[in-house]
Amino acid sequence: MPAKNEDLHGNVPDKSPVALLLIDVINDLEFPGGDALLDYALPMAERIAALKRRAKQAGVPTIYVNDNFGKWQSDLGKLIAHCLEDGVRGRPLVERLLPEEDDYAVLKPKHSGFYSSTLDTLLAYLRARTLVLTGLAGNVCVLFTANDAFMRDFHLVVPADCVASIDPGDNAYALRQMATVLDADRRPSTELDFVALKRGGSAGC
Amino acid sequence: MPAKNEDLHGNVPDKSPVALLLIDVINDLEFPGGDALLDYALPMAERIAALKRRAKQAGVPTIYVNDNFGKWQSDLGKLIAHCLEDGVRGRPLVERLLPEEDDYAVLKPKHSGFYSSTLDTLLAYLRARTLVLTGLAGNVCVLFTANDAFMRDFHLVVPADCVASIDPGDNAYALRQMATVLDADRRPSTELDFVALKRGGSAGC
Amino acid sequence: MPAKNEDLHGNVPDKSPVALLLIDVINDLEFPGGDALLDYALPMAERIAALKRRAKQAGVPTIYVNDNFGKWQSDLGKLIAHCLEDGVRGRPLVERLLPEEDDYAVLKPKHSGFYSSTLDTLLAYLRARTLVLTGLAGNVCVLFTANDAFMRDFHLVVPADCVASIDPGDNAYALRQMATVLDADRRPSTELDFVALKRGGSAGC
Amino acid sequence: MPAKNEDLHGNVPDKSPVALLLIDVINDLEFPGGDALLDYALPMAERIAALKRRAKQAGVPTIYVNDNFGKWQSDLGKLIAHCLEDGVRGRPLVERLLPEEDDYAVLKPKHSGFYSSTLDTLLAYLRARTLVLTGLAGNVCVLFTANDAFMRDFHLVVPADCVASIDPGDNAYALRQMATVLDADRRPSTELDFVALKRGGSAGC
């Protein structure tokens, strides 16, 4: 017997066992350590952009999971405008990863993408069981989101080259924690095979 | 000892023991019964608009709690544009209740404003304890939101003239259920005194 | 790809598309109106006991979804002992519906069985999609639980003869609300066919 | 204006700005690595028992936050009986930390004490804002619970000598992560001053 409302009134038209999450990449980086983070975040953004193109070709939906900043008004458009027009440090990051018409977006008030947000419901309607996590910061919002995904029994893929933190040591440790405690696959993005992931086999190519 | 982050990084700059909620008023009304509902919704919108002006004068924040429609992209601006520009039935409703720069907005995927949304967190940071509920539909989304608010120990005010349903009998019964089971005050909006509500006394003037 | 831990470490050994919920039947009925409720609750308990036997024969698990009373110590055994040994009004109700070794139990702190409880997770591991709701009080805890189940896309069956409220008029209205807004099937328990329900067809026999 | 039901119908009779959490100490330790963990867990249990006595003297409530094992029946008594009577490895651990009549207990289905449990509601009624976290395993359930507590703006105290993991290196890293990312105070239990903590000042004596 199917769920009573298969697409949640058009909100979730896609069905895919795999989803690509971009965490806090719509980011002005205007905080202490933001300049150091930018050095890692820009090459990371190039790799995420390439990964996102390949996801799209494979029919894997992309979900932006992002902090709100400024008053809570559930308006992603305003956040993007702030990053592009207000002379902020994160502008080149955001320019490389602008959402497209067929992407999803969930705003989160705290570190984990699952906490007090709509992410759980969106993923249930997508029927996603495997999440590819990318973005910032590896040892905070990505790790918190990964922990919460693990408790919900998602299979986790966290390509090591698509995650960045202010401190590279913290980034490495967070990736190790995700691999050992959360069973996450951390192979580099170039080795990810979305078609294999969708079939439910190994992530690799 | 205060919460660690009093304003949630600027997302919730206000503090108020009372909040005014507008439920599903950004609405194209393009569903069966929508034309009947419009007849009730337009005068309701006038009354809510007047109530909202008085709330603002009293320093009571307004929160739009609204269904998303179309793909989930957390973009209230797109929803408003659809209602204003696509020739939909709900346009005059939305025109009367456009969000302003100092209003909050929370998108919800289901009937209750609390389910799988950020409303809980927003209200915690506002320090709101009393909610004034208004909007559509009285016997569905308003009632579901009221139930969830009651379980969270909010004091409820549901002005009977600021709530509408497709069927007036269902609307009346929902208001009665909110009064008897949820201890809601359903006096008409013209008798609401926000200053008294903020002091924690009776809702009335 | 299956969930990572199919039985949640032995906590949920069963798999069934249908589950039978007994709401607040472990109840001392020591509250205003409890004596009036007892008159309805005793014959209701006989019908629920018969329904539970048939559920068991059909391999449908039973879940007690119950208020805690007394200090929060997650100890159903203590609650049952209180009802049986402390000379309370609800003793004959509880005697008719004692949990058995193969039943599940979830304690809830508020009206809805889903709020701040483990029910969501238990039902996910059972893979239940259809819930048969029974118990007390029809217009409060049963209705709140039904609303929350509906938002989670469960199919609802609420046998009218297995639900009781202090006021019969409120009970009738709650059943009507569940039928019209929540699409609940309210046919009497004697007409319920668990085998058909498990196949995903009509509830009836 | 107070919450509508200050003690949640007797479930939460205490009020305290500080609460002591014992995580997964009712534990049979019957899993790979359990014997190694026992070596650390027994001296840890002695220190937690001493800390719990001091908490009680200071009027700070203790909450057991514990995995269920065996079928989900919300029956802490059964879990304790299993640990004491079935010849399991964890018996001496459990004997040192048996719950008392005035303790609270919350069962959790997953790693974090907050996920799909009643902990949030219990802490809200206690009015707790500072949590002292102790127990097993430091790099999994304690860390997951700490992350979730941090997102809810609790102040965290995690005495380094009251937390144990299978691998001491993982334990040390988890404590460092809690100190640097979650602002947790990790001073040893002997230096904790509950009276000062309740006043909202520094944790230390």
Side-chain angles (χ1 to χ4, degrees):
Chain A
M1 205 181 308
K4 300 183 98 169
N5 186 334
E6 294 222 5
D7 69 354
L8 193 58
H9 305 290
N11 287 338
V12 190
D14 303 285
K15 294 280 167 286
S16 170
V18 184
L20 172 64
L21 271 61
L22 273 56
I23 299 174
D24 283 335
V25 299
I26 309 299
N27 199 319
D28 62 15
L29 296 178
E30 294 292 339
F31 48 78
D35 52 348
L37 187 50
L38 184 62
D39 289 344
Y40 304 109
L42 278 188
M44 177 202 76
E46 304 281 1
R47 290 186 291 261
I48 294 177
L51 190 66
K52 190 184 159 192
R53 281 191 296 272
R54 290 204 289 125
K56 218 154 278 232
Q57 284 164 5
V60 166
T62 290
I63 307 172
Y64 286 76
V65 179
N66 214 88
D67 277 347
N68 190 69
F69 29 91
K71 203 155 183 168
W72 191 276
Q73 298 183 318
S74 301
D75 201 326
L76 183 68
K78 287 188 185 177
L79 305 186
I80 295 171
H82 163 66
C83 290
L84 297 181
E85 299 163 14
D86 292 353
V88 299
R89 191 185 273 152
R91 177 174 167 173
L93 166 66
V94 176
E95 287 174 334
R96 280 159 177 78
L97 290 170
L98 286 173
E100 296 162 279
E101 267 310 298
D102 51 356
D103 297 329
Y104 295 89
V106 170
L107 296 179
K108 65 183 175 74
K110 290 281 189 172
H111 312 76
S112 165
F114 288 92
Y115 181 68
S116 200
S117 86
T118 309
L119 185 57
D120 251 336
T121 297
L122 173 54
L123 294 173
Y125 279 93
L126 281 176
R127 307 218 181 133
R129 296 307 308 146
T130 296
L131 303 183
V132 181
L133 302 186
T134 66
L136 308 170
N139 67 323
V140 187
C141 292
V142 176
L143 179 58
F144 276 55
T145 302
N147 284 340
D148 272 355
F150 178 72
M151 284 198 287
R152 288 155 175 82
D153 292 314
F154 288 100
H155 297 261
L156 292 174
V157 181
V158 189
D161 60 338
C162 291
V163 166
S165 308
I166 293 176
D167 177 78
D170 288 338
N171 203 56
Y173 195 88
L175 282 162
R176 194 173 84 83
Q177 166 92 351
M178 291 189 259
T180 57
V181 177
L182 313 182
D183 289 331
D185 183 336
R186 49 180 162 160
R187 81 183 64 203
S189 58
T190 48
E191 294 176 23
L192 269 189
D193 179 346
F194 282 111
V195 177
L197 267 184
K198 286 181 79 175
R199 275 199 313 264
S202 153
C205 49
Chain B
M1 207 181 309
K4 298 182 100 168
N5 185 334
E6 295 222 4
D7 69 354
L8 193 59
H9 305 290
N11 286 339
V12 190
D14 302 285
K15 294 279 167 287
S16 170
V18 183
L20 172 63
L21 271 61
L22 273 57
I23 299 174
D24 283 335
V25 299
I26 309 298
N27 199 320
D28 62 14
L29 296 178
E30 293 292 339
F31 48 79
D35 52 348
L37 186 51
L38 184 63
D39 289 344
Y40 304 109
L42 277 188
M44 177 202 76
E46 305 280 2
R47 290 186 291 262
I48 293 177
L51 190 65
K52 189 183 159 191
R53 280 191 296 273
R54 291 204 290 123
K56 218 155 279 233
Q57 284 164 4
V60 166
T62 290
I63 307 173
Y64 286 75
V65 179
N66 214 88
D67 276 348
N68 189 69
F69 29 91
K71 203 155 184 170
W72 191 276
Q73 298 182 317
S74 300
D75 202 326
L76 183 67
K78 286 189 185 177
L79 306 184
I80 294 171
H82 162 66
C83 290
L84 296 182
E85 299 162 13
D86 292 352
V88 299
R89 191 185 274 152
R91 178 175 167 172
L93 165 65
V94 176
E95 286 174 334
R96 279 159 177 78
L97 290 170
L98 286 172
E100 297 161 279
E101 267 310 299
D102 51 356
D103 296 329
Y104 295 89
V106 170
L107 296 178
K108 65 183 175 73
K110 291 280 188 171
H111 312 77
S112 165
F114 289 92
Y115 181 69
S116 200
S117 88
T118 309
L119 185 57
D120 251 335
T121 296
L122 172 54
L123 294 172
Y125 278 93
L126 280 176
R127 308 218 180 132
R129 296 307 308 146
T130 296
L131 303 183
V132 181
L133 303 185
T134 66
L136 308 171
N139 67 324
V140 186
C141 292
V142 176
L143 179 58
F144 277 55
T145 302
N147 284 339
D148 273 355
F150 178 72
M151 285 199 286
R152 288 155 175 83
D153 292 313
F154 287 99
H155 298 261
L156 291 174
V157 181
V158 189
D161 60 338
C162 291
V163 166
S165 308
I166 294 176
D167 177 78
D170 288 337
N171 202 55
Y173 195 88
L175 282 163
R176 195 173 82 83
Q177 167 93 349
M178 291 189 259
T180 57
V181 177
L182 313 182
D183 290 330
D185 183 336
R186 49 180 162 160
R187 80 184 64 202
S189 59
T190 47
E191 294 176 24
L192 269 189
D193 179 347
F194 283 110
V195 176
L197 266 184
K198 287 181 78 174
R199 274 199 313 266
S202 153
C205 46
Chain C
M1 208 180 306
K4 299 183 102 168
N5 184 333
E6 294 222 6
D7 68 356
L8 193 58
H9 304 291
N11 286 339
V12 190
D14 303 285
K15 294 280 166 288
S16 170
V18 183
L20 172 63
L21 270 62
L22 273 57
I23 299 174
D24 283 335
V25 299
I26 308 298
N27 199 319
D28 62 14
L29 296 178
E30 293 292 339
F31 48 78
D35 51 347
L37 186 52
L38 184 62
D39 288 345
Y40 304 110
L42 278 189
M44 177 202 76
E46 304 281 3
R47 291 187 289 263
I48 294 177
L51 190 65
K52 190 183 158 193
R53 280 191 296 274
R54 291 204 290 124
K56 218 155 278 234
Q57 284 164 6
V60 166
T62 290
I63 307 173
Y64 286 76
V65 179
N66 215 89
D67 277 348
N68 190 69
F69 28 92
K71 203 154 184 170
W72 191 276
Q73 298 182 318
S74 300
D75 202 326
L76 183 68
K78 287 188 184 178
L79 306 184
I80 294 171
H82 163 66
C83 289
L84 297 181
E85 299 163 12
D86 292 353
V88 300
R89 190 185 273 152
R91 177 175 166 172
L93 166 66
V94 176
E95 286 174 334
R96 278 158 177 78
L97 291 171
L98 287 172
E100 297 161 280
E101 267 309 299
D102 51 355
D103 296 331
Y104 295 88
V106 170
L107 295 179
K108 66 184 175 72
K110 290 282 189 171
H111 312 76
S112 165
F114 288 92
Y115 180 70
S116 199
S117 87
T118 309
L119 185 56
D120 252 335
T121 297
L122 173 53
L123 294 172
Y125 279 92
L126 281 176
R127 308 217 182 133
R129 297 308 308 147
T130 295
L131 303 183
V132 181
L133 303 185
T134 67
L136 309 170
N139 66 324
V140 187
C141 292
V142 176
L143 180 58
F144 277 56
T145 302
N147 285 339
D148 273 355
F150 178 72
M151 284 198 287
R152 288 154 175 83
D153 292 313
F154 287 98
H155 297 261
L156 291 173
V157 181
V158 189
D161 60 339
C162 291
V163 165
S165 307
I166 294 176
D167 177 78
D170 287 338
N171 202 56
Y173 195 88
L175 281 163
R176 194 172 84 83
Q177 167 94 350
M178 292 189 259
T180 56
V181 177
L182 313 182
D183 290 330
D185 183 336
R186 49 180 163 160
R187 80 183 65 200
S189 58
T190 47
E191 293 177 24
L192 268 190
D193 179 346
F194 283 110
V195 177
L197 266 184
K198 287 181 78 173
R199 275 198 313 263
S202 154
C205 46
Chain D
M1 208 181 307
K4 298 183 101 169
N5 184 333
E6 294 223 5
D7 68 355
L8 192 59
H9 304 291
N11 286 339
V12 190
D14 304 284
K15 293 280 167 288
S16 170
V18 184
L20 172 63
L21 271 61
L22 273 57
I23 299 174
D24 283 336
V25 299
I26 308 298
N27 198 319
D28 62 14
L29 296 179
E30 294 291 338
F31 48 78
D35 51 348
L37 187 52
L38 184 62
D39 290 344
Y40 304 110
L42 277 189
M44 176 202 77
E46 304 281 3
R47 291 187 290 262
I48 294 177
L51 189 65
K52 190 183 158 191
R53 280 191 296 273
R54 291 204 288 124
K56 217 155 281 234
Q57 284 163 6
V60 166
T62 291
I63 307 172
Y64 286 75
V65 179
N66 215 89
D67 276 349
N68 190 68
F69 28 93
K71 204 155 182 168
W72 192 276
Q73 298 183 318
S74 300
D75 202 326
L76 183 67
K78 286 189 183 177
L79 305 185
I80 294 171
H82 163 67
C83 289
L84 297 180
E85 299 162 11
D86 292 353
V88 300
R89 191 185 273 152
R91 178 174 166 172
L93 166 66
V94 176
E95 285 174 335
R96 279 159 178 78
L97 290 171
L98 286 172
E100 296 162 279
E101 267 309 299
D102 51 356
D103 296 330
Y104 295 88
V106 170
L107 296 178
K108 66 184 175 72
K110 290 281 188 169
H111 312 77
S112 165
F114 288 91
Y115 181 70
S116 199
S117 87
T118 309
L119 186 56
D120 251 335
T121 297
L122 173 53
L123 293 172
Y125 279 92
L126 281 176
R127 308 220 181 131
R129 297 307 309 147
T130 296
L131 303 183
V132 181
L133 303 186
T134 66
L136 308 169
N139 67 322
V140 187
C141 292
V142 176
L143 179 58
F144 276 55
T145 302
N147 284 339
D148 273 355
F150 178 72
M151 283 197 289
R152 287 155 176 83
D153 292 314
F154 288 99
H155 297 260
L156 291 173
V157 181
V158 189
D161 60 339
C162 291
V163 166
S165 307
I166 293 176
D167 178 78
D170 288 338
N171 203 56
Y173 195 88
L175 281 163
R176 194 173 85 82
Q177 167 94 350
M178 291 189 259
T180 57
V181 177
L182 313 182
D183 289 330
D185 183 338
R186 49 179 164 162
R187 78 183 66 200
S189 58
T190 48
E191 293 176 23
L192 269 190
D193 179 347
F194 282 111
V195 177
L197 266 184
K198 286 181 78 175
R199 275 199 311 265
S202 153
C205 46

